[in-house]
PDB file of all heavy atoms in Angstrom:
ATOM      1  N   PHE E  34      59.759  17.547  63.003  1.00  0.00           N
ATOM      2  CA  PHE E  34      61.149  17.856  62.653  1.00  0.00           C
ATOM      3  C   PHE E  34      61.445  19.339  62.893  1.00  0.00           C
ATOM      4  O   PHE E  34      62.494  19.698  63.413  1.00  0.00           O
ATOM      5  CB  PHE E  34      61.389  17.502  61.181  1.00  0.00           C
ATOM      6  CG  PHE E  34      62.757  17.857  60.667  1.00  0.00           C
ATOM      7  CD1 PHE E  34      63.842  17.032  60.890  1.00  0.00           C
ATOM      8  CD2 PHE E  34      62.955  19.025  59.936  1.00  0.00           C
ATOM      9  CE1 PHE E  34      65.106  17.355  60.405  1.00  0.00           C
ATOM     10  CE2 PHE E  34      64.204  19.364  59.450  1.00  0.00           C
ATOM     11  CZ  PHE E  34      65.284  18.520  59.685  1.00  0.00           C
ATOM     12  N   TYR E  35      60.504  20.207  62.535  1.00  0.00           N
ATOM     13  CA  TYR E  35      60.740  21.651  62.577  1.00  0.00           C
ATOM     14  C   TYR E  35      60.510  22.304  63.939  1.00  0.00           C
ATOM     15  O   TYR E  35      61.231  23.220  64.319  1.00  0.00           O
ATOM     16  CB  TYR E  35      59.873  22.362  61.534  1.00  0.00           C
ATOM     17  CG  TYR E  35      60.252  22.025  60.121  1.00  0.00           C
ATOM     18  CD1 TYR E  35      59.464  21.178  59.357  1.00  0.00           C
ATOM     19  CD2 TYR E  35      61.407  22.533  59.553  1.00  0.00           C
ATOM     20  CE1 TYR E  35      59.832  20.855  58.058  1.00  0.00           C
ATOM     21  CE2 TYR E  35      61.774  22.215  58.260  1.00  0.00           C
ATOM     22  CZ  TYR E  35      60.980  21.377  57.523  1.00  0.00           C
ATOM     23  OH  TYR E  35      61.344  21.060  56.249  1.00  0.00           O
ATOM     24  N   LEU E  36      59.473  21.896  64.655  1.00  0.00           N
ATOM     25  CA  LEU E  36      59.098  22.602  65.888  1.00  0.00           C
ATOM     26  C   LEU E  36      60.218  22.700  66.920  1.00  0.00           C
ATOM     27  O   LEU E  36      60.426  23.787  67.475  1.00  0.00           O
ATOM     28  CB  LEU E  36      57.844  21.993  66.502  1.00  0.00           C
ATOM     29  CG  LEU E  36      56.559  22.517  65.886  1.00  0.00           C
ATOM     30  CD1 LEU E  36      55.354  21.703  66.349  1.00  0.00           C
ATOM     31  CD2 LEU E  36      56.349  23.985  66.194  1.00  0.00           C
ATOM     32  N   PRO E  37      60.966  21.642  67.218  1.00  0.00           N
ATOM     33  CA  PRO E  37      62.049  21.795  68.201  1.00  0.00           C
ATOM     34  C   PRO E  37      63.082  22.839  67.778  1.00  0.00           C
ATOM     35  O   PRO E  37      63.598  23.583  68.608  1.00  0.00           O
ATOM     36  CB  PRO E  37      62.676  20.402  68.271  1.00  0.00           C
ATOM     37  CG  PRO E  37      61.621  19.475  67.785  1.00  0.00           C
ATOM     38  CD  PRO E  37      60.827  20.249  66.775  1.00  0.00           C
ATOM     39  N   ARG E  38      63.343  22.942  66.502  1.00  0.00           N
ATOM     40  CA  ARG E  38      64.296  23.933  65.991  1.00  0.00           C
ATOM     41  C   ARG E  38      63.714  25.342  66.091  1.00  0.00           C
ATOM     42  O   ARG E  38      64.404  26.285  66.453  1.00  0.00           O
ATOM     43  CB  ARG E  38      64.669  23.587  64.558  1.00  0.00           C
ATOM     44  CG  ARG E  38      65.550  22.365  64.488  1.00  0.00           C
ATOM     45  CD  ARG E  38      65.486  21.652  63.159  1.00  0.00           C
ATOM     46  NE  ARG E  38      66.335  20.474  63.180  1.00  0.00           N
ATOM     47  CZ  ARG E  38      65.970  19.311  63.722  1.00  0.00           C
ATOM     48  NH1 ARG E  38      64.782  19.164  64.261  1.00  0.00           N
ATOM     49  NH2 ARG E  38      66.795  18.296  63.718  1.00  0.00           N
ATOM     50  N   ILE E  39      62.443  25.473  65.751  1.00  0.00           N
ATOM     51  CA  ILE E  39      61.786  26.778  65.830  1.00  0.00           C
ATOM     52  C   ILE E  39      61.759  27.282  67.266  1.00  0.00           C
ATOM     53  O   ILE E  39      62.029  28.461  67.532  1.00  0.00           O
ATOM     54  CB  ILE E  39      60.356  26.693  65.240  1.00  0.00           C
ATOM     55  CG1 ILE E  39      60.433  26.507  63.722  1.00  0.00           C
ATOM     56  CG2 ILE E  39      59.542  27.935  65.584  1.00  0.00           C
ATOM     57  CD1 ILE E  39      59.101  26.200  63.071  1.00  0.00           C
ATOM     58  N   LEU E  40      61.461  26.401  68.194  1.00  0.00           N
ATOM     59  CA  LEU E  40      61.314  26.809  69.591  1.00  0.00           C
ATOM     60  C   LEU E  40      62.629  27.253  70.218  1.00  0.00           C
ATOM     61  O   LEU E  40      62.621  27.952  71.235  1.00  0.00           O
ATOM     62  CB  LEU E  40      60.673  25.686  70.409  1.00  0.00           C
ATOM     63  CG  LEU E  40      59.219  25.403  70.037  1.00  0.00           C
ATOM     64  CD1 LEU E  40      58.695  24.182  70.785  1.00  0.00           C
ATOM     65  CD2 LEU E  40      58.334  26.622  70.294  1.00  0.00           C
ATOM     66  N   THR E  41      63.760  26.896  69.623  1.00  0.00           N
ATOM     67  CA  THR E  41      65.057  27.322  70.172  1.00  0.00           C
ATOM     68  C   THR E  41      65.663  28.494  69.406  1.00  0.00           C
ATOM     69  O   THR E  41      66.751  28.953  69.753  1.00  0.00           O
ATOM     70  CB  THR E  41      66.060  26.151  70.187  1.00  0.00           C
ATOM     71  OG1 THR E  41      66.253  25.681  68.851  1.00  0.00           O
ATOM     72  CG2 THR E  41      65.554  25.018  71.064  1.00  0.00           C
ATOM     73  N   ALA E  42      64.991  28.971  68.379  1.00  0.00           N
ATOM     74  CA  ALA E  42      65.493  30.096  67.583  1.00  0.00           C
ATOM     75  C   ALA E  42      64.774  31.379  67.989  1.00  0.00           C
ATOM     76  O   ALA E  42      63.568  31.366  68.249  1.00  0.00           O
ATOM     77  CB  ALA E  42      65.274  29.823  66.094  1.00  0.00           C
ATOM     78  N   ASP E  43      65.495  32.487  68.038  1.00  0.00           N
ATOM     79  CA  ASP E  43      64.872  33.773  68.381  1.00  0.00           C
ATOM     80  C   ASP E  43      63.991  34.300  67.255  1.00  0.00           C
ATOM     81  O   ASP E  43      62.858  34.693  67.468  1.00  0.00           O
ATOM     82  CB  ASP E  43      65.939  34.813  68.723  1.00  0.00           C
ATOM     83  CG  ASP E  43      66.642  34.513  70.030  1.00  0.00           C
ATOM     84  OD1 ASP E  43      66.009  33.927  70.934  1.00  0.00           O
ATOM     85  OD2 ASP E  43      67.831  34.855  70.142  1.00  0.00           O
ATOM     86  N   GLY E  44      64.537  34.326  66.045  1.00  0.00           N
ATOM     87  CA  GLY E  44      63.807  34.846  64.892  1.00  0.00           C
ATOM     88  C   GLY E  44      63.666  33.768  63.840  1.00  0.00           C
ATOM     89  O   GLY E  44      64.650  33.170  63.417  1.00  0.00           O
ATOM     90  N   VAL E  45      62.431  33.507  63.410  1.00  0.00           N
ATOM     91  CA  VAL E  45      62.152  32.414  62.473  1.00  0.00           C
ATOM     92  C   VAL E  45      61.344  32.939  61.295  1.00  0.00           C
ATOM     93  O   VAL E  45      60.369  33.673  61.470  1.00  0.00           O
ATOM     94  CB  VAL E  45      61.351  31.284  63.167  1.00  0.00           C
ATOM     95  CG1 VAL E  45      61.054  30.160  62.192  1.00  0.00           C
ATOM     96  CG2 VAL E  45      62.103  30.762  64.389  1.00  0.00           C
ATOM     97  N   LEU E  46      61.755  32.543  60.105  1.00  0.00           N
ATOM     98  CA  LEU E  46      61.028  32.853  58.874  1.00  0.00           C
ATOM     99  C   LEU E  46      60.564  31.552  58.255  1.00  0.00           C
ATOM    100  O   LEU E  46      61.366  30.642  58.036  1.00  0.00           O
ATOM    101  CB  LEU E  46      61.918  33.607  57.890  1.00  0.00           C
ATOM    102  CG  LEU E  46      61.313  33.871  56.511  1.00  0.00           C
ATOM    103  CD1 LEU E  46      60.092  34.784  56.610  1.00  0.00           C
ATOM    104  CD2 LEU E  46      62.356  34.463  55.569  1.00  0.00           C
ATOM    105  N   ASP E  47      59.273  31.452  57.969  1.00  0.00           N
ATOM    106  CA  ASP E  47      58.694  30.302  57.279  1.00  0.00           C
ATOM    107  C   ASP E  47      58.408  30.740  55.845  1.00  0.00           C
ATOM    108  O   ASP E  47      57.504  31.537  55.595  1.00  0.00           O
ATOM    109  CB  ASP E  47      57.416  29.856  57.998  1.00  0.00           C
ATOM    110  CG  ASP E  47      56.780  28.604  57.392  1.00  0.00           C
ATOM    111  OD1 ASP E  47      57.272  28.107  56.361  1.00  0.00           O
ATOM    112  OD2 ASP E  47      55.779  28.143  57.968  1.00  0.00           O
TER     113      ASP E  47
END
Side-chain angles (χ1 to χ4, degrees):
F34 176 82
Y35 294 106
L36 277 170
R38 288 156 181 81
I39 290 171
L40 293 174
T41 60
D43 291 329
V45 180
L46 174 64
D47 183 356

